[in-house]
């Protein structure tokens, strides 16, 4: 109860602080660099403190705020019908928050519809599209070789990641590890590490790997493999967490050990979804391998960036055709296989 | 040797969310007895059974199984205890994607080393015994069928065979017929009686229907809000007692 109140106030403080900062910036007609200066000066923190005060006052007066709706759900009473959500205070503030953020976003991202339809800009885009639409197929053999490299990069990354992720998925599943304090600590630590690895994009891992083992397909494979381990372990462990408890109870009741229980009650339930996720991951990895080539991870992305750098748009067009075909093939194949093993 | 195989004193189980499912329950179970436990859903019957084989850890009280203090056992000995106390469930809890044979063999996990079970290796005489158990419940012809191909009644018989593989001394049955139709229901109950009478296995069985209790049980315990409100002969539960156990609005339903 108290922890939820804390969460609620914290959340509301940030919401109100954010609105307050926005209001101040708009009122002072501050330009973008100054906005950063304001932030550095701790204006945001000050506003959050002010927002926190507002949040506490609202809570004391019993007004349901956004944070309250999220963290402190009131008991549903039968006597009064609840108001439609957008007529409530929290619903109204949600809509207001969204509108403010949309307008802020418009300004921050330099949205300019005029640039999109400017005559000069349209001409340039037109020339580029014309070149891409008439691909130069002389480089097709090289492109296909690079494409094959890309598929193998993705394949190796997935194959190596699967056993590691399989093993880690049990150690990062709450229902397996929640039993005792030491195993729960191990679960928490592993979850954190995996989350950190996963939150670093494969593209960044490729940059790290290309420094580590040198530019080339190996670096690309390594980057995808690291990212796949974390992503698969997360997906796998979620599957482990939603297995039917009944068979687990039944196997435990025979006097089985924890390892035997996992082997006989958990694994049979998760094999098919595991395979399905693994194929999907390979599919994702093929698409990612293309991108990773751009930063030195080998494969088709590498030649794409070369021709793009020389503005050889007809050749780029050919590469794009090959990429499209591969992605389409992988997509269809993986969807078909996943459907077949359901 | 004491007369009772199970002796339960002041057993209490409070869940982490503060709900007390079993509240100071005491009773004895005689060797070879068929004991039925009745009561509404949520009266604590399932929790009580799960405390006996330590699937749930009781909050307080004493459980003695054949003179052994069940609650003081370290994990490895809890597993040894579980090999002697088999359990079947309302939803059968078979491994659906495995064959009937494989499911029955899982009853031997407590006697099989972790390493050999990882590779699904069981002793040859375990397979023979599994066939015997399947024959006992009349389903030997389905040995190599996948469990998800079976009907509810067949699944429960496989579950009984899996329990028998443990060569248990006590069988806990948690609502074994609650998901079955009335006809299959009697077939499963008859197998439970057979296990009880012919093999001398003590049976503790959670049931919903009083008519089944009267037909199959030697003795009955009735639970209400985690406490025992009745303990005695099934025939002695008259309309008055029935109303007390199930509430005034309840009506008796006959299962033919």
């Amino acid at each position: 109860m108290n922890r939820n109140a804390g969460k609620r106030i914290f959340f509301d403080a940030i919401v109100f602080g954010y609105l307050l900062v926005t209001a101040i910036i708009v009122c002072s007609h501050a330009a973008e660099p100054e906005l950063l200066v304001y932030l550095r000066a701790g204006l945001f923190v000050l506003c959050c403190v002010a927002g926190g005060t507002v949040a506490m006052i609202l809570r004391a007066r019993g007004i349901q705020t956004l944070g309250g709706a999220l963290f402190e759900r009131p008991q549903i009473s039968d006597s009064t019908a609840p108001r439609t959500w957008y007529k409530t205070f929290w619903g109204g503030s949600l809509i207001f928050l969204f509108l403010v953020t949309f307008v802020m976003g418009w300004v921050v991202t330099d949205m300019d519809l005029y640039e999109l339809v400017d005559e000069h800009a349209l001409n340039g885009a037109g020339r580029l599209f014309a070149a891409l639409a008439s691909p130069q197929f002389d480089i097709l053999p090289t492109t296909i070789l690079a494409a094959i490299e890309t598929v193998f990069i993705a394949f190796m990354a997935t194959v190596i990641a699967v056993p590691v992720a399989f093993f880690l998925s049990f150690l990062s599943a709450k229902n397996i590890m929640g039993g005792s304090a030491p195993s729960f600590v191990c679960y928490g630590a592993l979850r954190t590490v995996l989350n950190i690895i996963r939150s670093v994009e494969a593209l960044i891992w490729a940059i790290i790997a290309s420094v580590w083992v040198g530019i080339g397909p190996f670096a690309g494979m390594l980057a995808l493999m690291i990212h796949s381990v974390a992503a698969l372990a997360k997906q796998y462990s979620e599957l482990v967490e939603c297995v039917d408890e009944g068979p687990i109870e039944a196997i435990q009741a025979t006097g089985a050990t924890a390892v035997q229980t996992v082997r006989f009650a958990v694994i049979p339930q998760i094999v098919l979804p595991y395979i399905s996720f693994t194929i999907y991951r390979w599919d994702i990895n093929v698409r990612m391998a293309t991108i990773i080539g751009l930063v030195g991870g080998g494969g088709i992305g590498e030649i794409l960036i070369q021709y793009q750098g020389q503005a050889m748009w007809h050749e780029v067009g050919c590469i794009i055709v090959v990429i499209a075909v591969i992605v389409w093939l992988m997509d269809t194949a993986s969807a078909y296989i996943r459907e077949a093993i359901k | 040797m004491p007369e009772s195989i199970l002796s339960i004193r002041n057993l209490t189980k409070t869940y982490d969310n503060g709900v007390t499912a079993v509240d100071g329950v005491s009773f004895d179970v005689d060797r070879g007895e068929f004991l039925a436990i009745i009561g509404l859903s949520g009266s604590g019957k399932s929790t009580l059974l799960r405390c006996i084989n330590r699937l749930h850890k009781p909050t307080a009280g004493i459980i003695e199984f054949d003179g052994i203090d069940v609650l003081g056992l370290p994990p490895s000995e809890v597993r040894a205890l579980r090999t002697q106390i088999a359990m079947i469930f309302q939803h059968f809890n078979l491994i659906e994607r495995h064959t009937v044979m494989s499911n029955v063999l899982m009853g031997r996990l407590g006697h099989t080393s972790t390493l050999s079970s990882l590779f699904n290796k069981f002793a040859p005489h375990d397979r023979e015994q599994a066939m015997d158990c399947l024959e006992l419940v009349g389903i030997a012809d389905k040995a190599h069928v996948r469990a998800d191909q079976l009907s509810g009644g067949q699944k429960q018989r496989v579950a009984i065979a899996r329990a028998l593989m443990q060569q248990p001394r006590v069988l806990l049955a948690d609502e074994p017929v609650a998901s079955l139709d009335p006809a299959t229901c009697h077939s499963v109950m008859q197998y439970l009686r057979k296990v009880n009478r012919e093999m001398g296995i003590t049976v503790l069985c959670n049931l919903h229907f009083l008519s089944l209790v009267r037909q199959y049980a030697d003795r009955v315990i009735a639970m209400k809000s985690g406490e025992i409100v009745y303990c005695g002969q099934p025939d002695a539960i008259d309309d008055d007692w029935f109303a007390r156990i199930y509430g005034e609005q309840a009506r008796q339903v006959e299962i033919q």
Side-chain angles (χ1 to χ4, degrees):
Chain A
M1 178 68 202
N2 258 335
R3 238 178 91 197
N4 280 343
K7 280 184 195 166
R8 170 198 169 140
I9 303 247
F10 185 74
F11 184 87
D12 281 338
I14 289 177
V15 168
F16 292 135
Y18 163 70
L19 288 176
L20 211 57
V21 161
T22 314
I24 290 170
I25 291 168
V26 171
C27 290
S28 61
H29 298 282
E32 209 181 328
E34 280 175 77
L35 186 148
L36 291 173
V37 172
Y38 274 131
L39 285 181
R40 206 174 296 149
L43 179 70
F44 185 62
V45 176
L46 275 179
C47 286
C48 283
V49 172
T53 321
V54 177
M56 275 192 267
I57 294 168
L58 285 174
R59 182 166 185 269
R61 301 186 118 200
I63 293 170
Q64 184 66 319
T65 57
L66 208 51
L70 281 173
F71 299 113
E72 256 189 345
R73 313 206 64 162
Q75 297 295 317
I76 294 161
S77 61
D78 301 329
S79 52
T80 53
R83 270 196 288 179
T84 328
W85 71 273
Y86 53 82
K87 286 183 186 163
T88 57
F89 180 80
W90 68 266
S93 46
L94 183 65
I95 293 168
F96 184 65
L97 197 65
F98 176 77
L99 288 176
V100 167
T101 307
F102 187 79
V103 173
M104 280 285 278
W106 189 287
V107 174
V108 170
T109 54
D110 282 336
M111 284 268 284
D112 192 344
L113 293 181
Y114 176 72
E115 267 179 35
L116 205 58
V117 290
D118 172 58
E119 197 187 343
H120 184 66
L122 273 183
N123 279 338
R127 256 185 291 118
L128 184 59
F129 278 120
L132 290 178
S134 55
Q136 168 61 262
F137 281 114
D138 286 356
I139 60 155
L140 195 61
T142 340
T143 315
I144 288 179
L145 280 180
I148 290 171
E149 191 175 278
T150 295
V151 174
F152 274 113
I153 290 171
F155 177 76
M156 288 307 284
T158 317
V159 164
I160 297 173
V162 164
V164 184
F166 181 81
F167 178 70
L168 292 179
S169 66
F170 296 105
L171 299 181
S172 53
K174 206 174 194 169
N175 54 346
I176 304 271
M177 302 297 285
S180 66
S183 66
F184 192 73
V185 169
C186 168
Y187 154 85
L190 193 60
R191 268 269 150 128
T192 315
V193 171
L194 288 176
N195 278 339
I196 292 170
I197 295 178
R198 208 162 39 88
S199 61
V200 177
E201 272 297 323
L203 197 67
I204 312 291
W205 283 116
I207 294 169
I208 297 170
S210 61
V211 174
W212 188 355
V213 298
I215 284 176
F218 183 46
M221 194 283 279
L222 208 58
L224 282 179
M225 194 267 287
I226 294 170
H227 193 259
S228 294
V229 165
L232 277 177
K234 161 98 174 159
Q235 283 176 323
Y236 284 175
S237 66
E238 272 164 11
L239 289 175
V240 173
E241 280 173 2
C242 64
V243 293
D244 181 9
E245 289 286 326
I248 296 180
E249 261 193 333
I251 296 301
Q252 278 176 342
T254 65
T257 60
V259 174
Q260 287 173 328
T261 309
V262 169
R263 162 72 178 80
F264 287 96
V266 180
I267 291 181
Q269 292 190 57
I270 54 178
V271 165
L272 287 189
Y274 264 42
I275 294 175
S276 175
F277 270 121
T278 307
I279 291 171
Y280 187 49
R281 178 54 48 183
W282 183 27
D283 179 17
I284 292 174
N285 277 347
V286 170
R287 274 177 277 148
M288 294 245 266
T290 313
I291 305 294
I292 272 171
L294 302 181
V295 294
I300 200 164
E302 203 168 275
I303 61 169
L304 176 66
I305 198 85
Q306 281 166 15
Y307 285 110
Q308 184 265 329
Q310 298 166 57
M312 294 166 76
W313 297 114
H314 294 283
E315 283 75 6
V316 170
C318 169
I319 296 169
I320 289 177
V321 167
V322 172
I323 291 175
V325 169
I326 290 174
V327 169
W328 173 75
L329 273 177
M330 286 301 298
D331 218 41
T332 317
S334 102
Y336 184 80
I337 297 171
R338 279 183 287 133
E339 188 59 39
I341 61 167
K342 237 179 205 167
Chain B
M1 223 191 255
E3 178 65 18
S4 59
I5 190 160
L6 265 171
S7 161
I8 291 164
R9 291 287 169 272
N10 290 321
L11 187 73
T12 300
K13 168 71 185 174
T14 305
Y15 287 108
D16 292 338
N17 62 11
V19 175
T20 299
V22 176
D23 194 359
V25 162
S26 302
F27 63 95
D28 289 300
V29 186
D30 290 341
R31 270 170 219 285
E33 187 179 22
F34 196 120
L35 176 72
I37 304 166
I38 59 169
L40 290 170
S41 304
S43 60
K45 311 188 295 286
S46 296
T47 309
L48 174 64
L49 286 194
R50 283 169 172 74
C51 284
I52 293 173
N53 65 355
R54 286 283 301 270
L55 281 180
H56 289 342
K57 196 169 168 49
T59 319
I62 297 168
I63 299 177
E64 271 186 16
F65 171 72
D66 217 9
I68 306 165
D69 171 23
V70 168
L71 303 192
L73 293 177
S76 63
E77 284 173 41
V78 168
R79 289 200 299 274
L81 170 85
R82 284 177 184 159
T83 62
Q84 302 190 55
I85 306 178
M87 189 165 187
I88 62 173
F89 303 83
Q90 175 181 353
H91 298 294
F92 328 123
N93 293 352
L94 299 181
I95 312 303
E96 299 271 318
R97 305 183 49 80
H98 281 213
T99 62
V100 166
M101 178 54 121
S102 161
N103 268 286
V104 176
L105 282 170
M106 288 175 203
R108 291 307 289 174
L109 283 176
H111 297 282
T112 310
S113 80
T114 301
L115 194 65
S116 39
S117 64
L118 274 185
F119 299 100
N120 215 355
K121 257 179 76 179
F122 290 92
H125 63 260
D126 282 347
R127 288 179 188 277
E128 286 163 31
Q129 196 201 331
M131 273 324 269
D132 292 345
C133 289
L134 283 171
E135 246 153 55
L136 204 83
V137 292
I139 203 166
D141 54 321
K142 301 277 187 192
H144 301 292
V145 174
R146 255 171 60 158
D148 51 11
Q149 305 291 311
L150 302 181
S151 71
Q154 291 171 328
K155 283 182 186 175
Q156 197 60 294
R157 278 145 67 191
V158 173
I160 294 175
R162 175 174 68 187
L164 293 179
M165 273 305 273
Q166 293 180 228
Q167 297 175 315
R169 298 166 66 198
V170 173
L171 176 64
L172 307 175
D174 185 23
E175 312 256 3
V177 295
S179 343
L180 301 177
D181 60 68
T184 347
C185 180
H186 276 291
S187 139
V188 166
M189 286 309 292
Q190 274 155 13
Y191 281 113
L192 284 182
R193 173 148 71 186
K194 186 172 165 188
V195 165
N196 175 247
R197 296 281 148 83
E198 292 173 19
M199 308 176 75
I201 297 171
T202 310
V203 176
L204 267 75
C205 183
N206 285 350
L207 283 174
H208 264 310
F209 293 106
L210 208 49
S211 60
L212 289 178
V213 173
R214 291 198 180 112
Q215 216 169 329
Y216 295 100
D218 298 325
R219 197 160 62 98
V220 59
I221 282 176
M223 289 187 73
K224 193 177 183 182
S225 332
E227 291 172 36
I228 292 183
V229 291
Y230 178 87
C231 179
Q233 295 306 308
D235 294 330
I237 298 188
D238 51 19
D239 288 347
D240 191 32
W241 269 110
F242 185 81
R244 238 184 281 177
I245 297 164
Y246 285 100
E248 295 297 334
Q249 265 130 49
R251 285 247 206 93
Q252 287 202 44
V253 182
E254 283 289 321
I255 288 205
Q256 296 305 326

